[in-house]
Amino acid sequence: MSKTIAIGADHAGYLYKARLIEHLKSKGFEVVNVGTDAADSVDYPVFADKVCDCVASGKAAFGILICGTGIGMSMSSNKHKGIRAALCTDLVMAEYTRLHNNANVLCLGARIIACEMAEMIADKFLETEFEGGRHQRRIDLFDR
Ligand code: RB5
């Protein structure tokens, strides 16, 4: 069965989101698009909440969130219980946040990286498995 990815963006990220949705579908993923889908100014935490709810409830295996820098989306997402959101600007960060942090939400900055890089980062994030072991022990400490 194909994995479901929940994806959201603010006005700074919605064009990247549209490209990423097509990219993810071409790779066989199911996609839940929570918006926004226009250039009108919106508040990024609203869309972070929607994506994080999908991931925390199990409706989606992973989330992807895009704003201008990716910073606001990551700050907002990490307020949610059970969410480990990682802002990634390169492939090494995407790989290691899956290997070591078991990140379940990927945050991207549309004003920071090229759209092609965003696609490559998403691919790396989604294809990399968590290593577990000592890294699980460290993640467990998040919930003290
Ligand atoms: C919107 O202008 C911008 O603040 C937002 O997209 C994001 O970069 C916040 O972290």
Side-chain angles (χ1 to χ4, degrees):
M1 206 178 82
S2 65
K3 278 188 178 157
T4 298
I5 312 299
I7 188 166
D10 72 357
H11 52 283
Y14 81 100
L15 289 174
Y16 273 42
K17 177 168 66 60
R19 281 268 301 266
L20 273 169
I21 288 170
E22 292 314 309
H23 181 73
L24 293 169
K25 285 181 175 170
S26 79
K27 300 253 167 185
F29 292 102
E30 301 284 332
V31 178
V32 176
N33 175 17
V34 305
T36 190
D37 295 298
D40 308 276
S41 184
V42 292
D43 298 329
Y44 57 82
V46 172
F47 299 91
D49 286 355
K50 290 175 194 274
V51 163
C52 290
D53 286 348
C54 286
V55 175
S57 70
K59 184 175 175 188
F62 294 103
I64 299 179
L65 284 160
I66 311 133
C67 65
T69 58
I71 296 171
M73 286 297 198
S74 59
M75 287 179 160
S76 185
S77 296
N78 279 314
K79 295 280 187 185
H80 288 254
K81 189 168 170 51
I83 296 298
R84 293 173 301 280
L87 169 57
C88 297
T89 56
D90 66 29
L91 299 179
V92 177
M93 295 170 82
E95 182 174 9
Y96 276 84
T97 200
R98 288 288 308 126
L99 288 172
H100 288 190
N101 313 124
N102 200 15
N104 51 14
V105 173
L106 170 66
C107 299
L108 300 166
R111 294 173 179 160
I112 305 296
I113 57 171
C115 198
E116 293 73 17
M117 177 56 90
E119 290 175 346
M120 291 165 64
I121 288 172
D123 289 345
K124 181 63 75 180
F125 184 92
L126 294 171
E127 77 194 16
T128 305
E129 297 290 338
F130 178 47
E131 275 183 355
R134 68 189 185 281
H135 302 296
Q136 183 61 57
R137 183 179 73 240
R138 292 163 184 163
I139 288 166
D140 290 342
L141 292 171
F142 291 179
D143 295 322
R144 278 175 294 171

